[in-house]
Amino acid sequence: MFSSQSLKGFAGLSLFGGLVLAQPALAQNQPGVPAASQAIGLASDSLTLGATVQAVLDANPGITNLTELSNAATSRLSQTRAGFLPQITGTATYTRIDPVVKLPFNGETLQFAPNNNYDFHVTAQYLLLDFGKNDATVKVAESQVQTAQDNITVARRDLSFSAAQLYYNILFMRESIRVQDQQIASLKAHRNEMQKRVEGGVSTKFDVTTTDVRITQAENTKLDLQNQLRNQQVQLARLLHKPEQADIPVKGRLTYEPQQVDMQAELTKASNNRPEVKLARDAENTAVLQSRLIEKSNLPSLGAGVQAGGKNGYILPDINRIRFNTVGVLQLSVPIYDGGRNKKQRVEAAANSRAAVARTADTQEQIRADVRQAVNNMEFSQARYNNAEQQVAQASDALTRAQGRYRYGVGQNLDVLDAETQLAQARLARAQAMYNYTLGQYQLKRATGEQIWQ
């Protein structure tokens, strides 16, 4: 049963459970990960952690959106590569001309152009030399494809963390409800014992009434926990895009499995694997390539073209006869003056490049901070778990002694009730430490760029 102090303590736990929802959490079926995350797949009646994460990824339309954007970027890359290939065009033209020039000659009329003009030809064009402009365009498109793919990685990771965190929020609420059930059962057993003492004339009805009040308070707290559990299940249903399903069953139980952490190794791993670093480097690379493209855009280009086909209107007097003809073209284009546009574009590209380098440096600093924070959270959660274990043992011993003193008439009922409350608080603190440590493990994995989806 909860006193006013215990209710404040529980409110703190509930607040923490709500706050952590605002931050992604990570889970992965790897060695050192809690046992609940080891099972991947769909049970007959509930979801494991891996199945929960995978189901959320499969149901989310945002992933589909980013995937299609990546497909579009890949298509643009293919379009730019087409610039290295010849362009072939077929053309058919009909032109009606009225009037046309006609002259009398030796009793006949000479017509210098037909009224009906036909022209059928095929044209092939090929860029012989552009001083690397097309190649620079392709490289920019390749960088954009890589950025689109890395955006998918970031989105899948964040969504996976959200799903994993909701999964463990549900397990934490269940564990808290189990603690309340233990307290309620113990209080009811104590009440039954006191009722027998009242019937035997050893105790007063006041002690029974006081215990009934504590039982009601504990049941109210359990109702609050059940409400929070239902809300977490609603949130999970939203991620699964099943809003009509209020209760998404999940499988597992909160566990505590500490692991050794090498800070320097984790920092190195984060620097190499974190998708935000890859995105920052993608932006940096794209800015450099864009700058090179602008530098080459003002260079000359040399192209060749050939045309073959048939048309009429060539030789008198049979000007309506369609004859085969060919045309060859060699063209050199040299930009002369663009009003300073290219120079201004170079200034802009240089600024974008410097900004991208600064973003990369800032991202790396943020990642190092994320790793340190995750490790700190794990260390303090481990210390709190050890303290909570000791507190549970001490509270259990205190409860046993209080019950014994009350049973032999040398203690008060209030001592027993307070001991019950302290034991429940200790068990809740232990569950909170297990929850915090588990999320700390996954936050570390998120900070180092490990992925959990298949």
Side-chain angles (χ1 to χ4, degrees):
M1 183 174 292
F2 280 72
S3 63
S4 60
Q5 290 182 346
S6 66
L7 288 176
K8 290 180 181 179
F10 174 73
L13 300 181
S14 301
L15 177 60
F16 176 83
L19 288 176
V20 293
L21 280 175
Q23 301 178 1
L26 176 62
Q28 187 164 355
N29 50 327
Q30 294 183 357
V33 176
S37 65
Q38 296 293 332
I40 298 296
L42 178 63
S44 59
D45 60 344
S46 58
L47 291 170
T48 62
L49 174 61
T52 300
V53 171
Q54 194 60 53
V56 168
L57 291 176
D58 292 341
N60 191 271
I63 302 298
T64 303
N65 173 55
L66 291 175
T67 300
E68 292 304 324
L69 290 177
S70 177
N71 293 337
T74 302
S75 178
R76 287 193 297 271
L77 173 59
S78 300
Q79 295 172 37
T80 58
R81 285 175 174 164
F84 291 108
L85 302 176
Q87 307 296 308
I88 301 176
T89 307
T91 305
T93 304
Y94 165 76
T95 305
R96 172 72 185 183
I97 300 177
D98 283 304
V100 295
V101 177
K102 296 181 180 180
L103 295 176
F105 181 77
N106 292 333
E108 296 182 1
T109 301
L110 297 179
Q111 183 174 333
F112 292 93
N115 294 95
N116 298 308
N117 293 267
Y118 302 94
D119 186 359
F120 310 93
H121 61 266
V122 175
T123 302
Q125 296 174 308
Y126 184 70
L127 184 63
L128 297 177
L129 181 64
D130 67 351
F131 296 93
K133 285 188 289 186
N134 203 50
D135 184 64
T137 303
V138 169
K139 289 186 182 301
V140 170
E142 289 174 343
S143 181
Q144 292 170 343
V145 169
Q146 184 61 52
T147 298
Q149 293 173 347
D150 288 340
N151 278 327
I152 295 175
T153 300
V154 171
R156 289 175 66 86
R157 182 211 57 190
D158 290 344
L159 193 59
S160 299
F161 273 86
S162 297
Q165 184 159 359
L166 280 172
Y167 174 87
Y168 278 106
N169 285 345
I170 291 174
L171 297 189
F172 173 60
M173 288 297 107
R174 288 179 179 174
E175 186 65 28
S176 299
I177 291 172
R178 275 192 285 269
V179 170
Q180 284 303 109
D181 286 336
Q182 289 175 332
Q183 184 189 20
I184 292 170
S186 180
L187 287 171
K188 287 182 176 180
H190 179 62
R191 182 197 181 281
N192 292 336
E193 182 179 344
M194 282 190 301
Q195 184 64 39
K196 294 178 182 179
R197 293 169 63 89
V198 171
E199 294 172 356
V202 179
S203 298
T204 65
K205 187 67 175 176
F206 176 76
D207 288 342
V208 175
T209 303
T210 304
T211 305
D212 285 336
V213 171
R214 292 294 184 94
I215 292 173
T216 303
Q217 290 175 345
E219 289 175 341
N220 285 338
T221 301
K222 179 181 176 180
L223 288 174
D224 290 338
L225 288 169
Q226 289 173 331
N227 178 53
Q228 292 189 48
L229 174 60
R230 179 60 61 87
N231 287 338
Q232 298 305 309
Q233 290 170 333
V234 169
Q235 289 295 321
L236 180 57
R238 182 187 65 80
L239 282 186
L240 291 170
H241 288 268
K242 296 180 180 180
E244 72 286 351
Q245 187 171 351
D247 184 4
I248 301 294
V250 298
K251 180 181 180 180
R253 185 164 181 173
L254 205 59
T255 59
Y256 175 71
E257 298 182 11
Q259 67 184 71
Q260 295 293 326
V261 177
D262 185 341
M263 175 75 78
Q264 192 56 47
E266 298 299 331
L267 288 171
T268 302
K269 187 191 301 183
S271 179
N272 294 332
N273 299 335
R274 187 77 175 262
E276 285 88 346
V277 173
K278 295 180 180 179
L279 276 175
R281 289 172 179 164
D282 289 344
E284 191 175 335
N285 185 49
T286 299
V288 171
L289 294 174
Q290 190 69 40
S291 179
R292 292 176 183 173
L293 175 60
I294 292 172
E295 291 175 358
K296 294 179 180 294
S297 64
N298 232 20
L299 297 176
S301 61
L302 178 64
V306 294
Q307 177 178 300
K311 61 181 296 184
N312 61 348
Y314 272 104
I315 302 175
L316 291 173
D318 192 5
I319 58 175
N320 290 312
R321 180 182 174 184
I322 296 177
R323 300 176 182 274
F324 178 75
N325 66 92
T326 60
V327 177
V329 177
L330 189 65
Q331 178 176 316
L332 176 66
S333 298
V334 181
I336 297 176
Y337 179 68
D338 64 355
R341 178 182 178 183
N342 186 263
K343 181 179 179 180
K344 295 179 177 65
Q345 287 177 334
R346 293 188 185 192
V347 173
E348 178 186 0
N352 288 334
S353 182
R354 292 192 299 270
V357 171
R359 282 196 301 270
T360 300
D362 182 66
T363 300
Q364 289 174 334
E365 287 295 331
Q366 181 60 53
I367 287 171
R368 284 191 284 269
D370 290 344
V371 172
R372 292 190 179 97
Q373 289 177 352
V375 173
N376 289 340
N377 289 341
M378 290 175 62
E379 290 178 352
F380 281 97
S381 296
Q382 189 171 6
R384 287 173 179 170
Y385 178 83
N386 294 335
N387 288 340
E389 280 279 81
Q390 184 177 4
Q391 186 180 357
V392 168
Q394 292 170 344
S396 298
D397 180 67
L399 176 60
T400 301
R401 294 177 184 276
Q403 290 173 335
R405 288 171 56 84
Y406 180 76
R407 189 175 297 113
Y408 291 106
V410 295
Q412 298 180 354
N413 180 51
L414 185 59
D415 296 334
V416 177
L417 298 180
D418 288 343
E420 289 279 6
T421 298
Q422 290 170 1
L423 178 58
Q425 287 179 324
R427 287 171 173 168
L428 280 174
R430 181 174 60 184
Q432 181 75 74
M434 293 166 60
Y435 171 79
N436 290 350
Y437 188 84
T438 299
L439 288 190
Q441 288 177 307
Y442 299 143
Q443 288 166 352
L444 179 60
K445 290 182 179 296
R446 179 183 186 276
T448 57
E450 294 186 38
Q451 65 182 33
I452 68 174
W453 61 90
Q454 297 298 307

